[in-house]
Amino acid sequence: MNLEEAVLERLRHLPVDKQQQLLEFAEFLSQKTTLKPPLRTVRGLCADLKVDISEEDIAQARQEMWSNFPRDIVIIDLEKIERR
């Protein structure tokens, strides 16, 4: 008796509700083992947009974003404040 025959033999002796559960579980296993298409990278997602961003464009955008960032950040010692 091969595996398929053994499963069918056990299946035949189960009540209908258990047979239904077994069918649902087999479908779950089938879906779980089905190969999923690989996820696309960001570059792949944007490939059809025909956007060409150079290193210079990125450097310029960084410069613009960080140009107004404060350079003199003051670090506060919370322990000194709590002692007062």
Side-chain angles (χ1 to χ4, degrees):
M1 180 181 295
N2 65 21
L3 180 61
E4 183 178 349
E5 292 170 348
V7 170
L8 286 173
E9 184 64 30
R10 294 279 179 121
L11 173 70
R12 288 186 183 109
H13 290 84
L14 291 175
V16 175
D17 62 324
K18 297 296 181 185
Q19 290 178 3
Q20 182 64 37
Q21 286 180 351
L22 187 59
L23 175 61
E24 291 170 2
F25 183 66
E27 290 171 350
F28 165 76
L29 289 177
S30 176
Q31 290 175 357
K32 186 177 176 182
T33 58
T34 303
L35 296 176
K36 297 176 184 170
L39 297 176
R40 292 175 65 186
T41 63
V42 173
R43 182 171 290 192
L45 290 171
C46 299
D48 60 334
L49 298 177
K50 307 292 186 229
V51 176
D52 186 27
I53 300 175
S54 66
E55 289 293 326
E56 290 103 21
D57 294 334
I58 294 172
Q60 181 181 357
R62 283 182 181 148
Q63 179 64 31
E64 290 172 5
M65 286 189 318
W66 293 101
S67 63
N68 294 329
F69 191 79
R71 303 279 184 229
D72 53 343
I73 297 176
V74 177
I75 299 175
I76 300 172
D77 189 352
L78 294 178
E79 289 180 7
K80 287 183 180 178
I81 294 174
E82 290 175 356
R83 289 183 201 149
R84 292 183 185 174

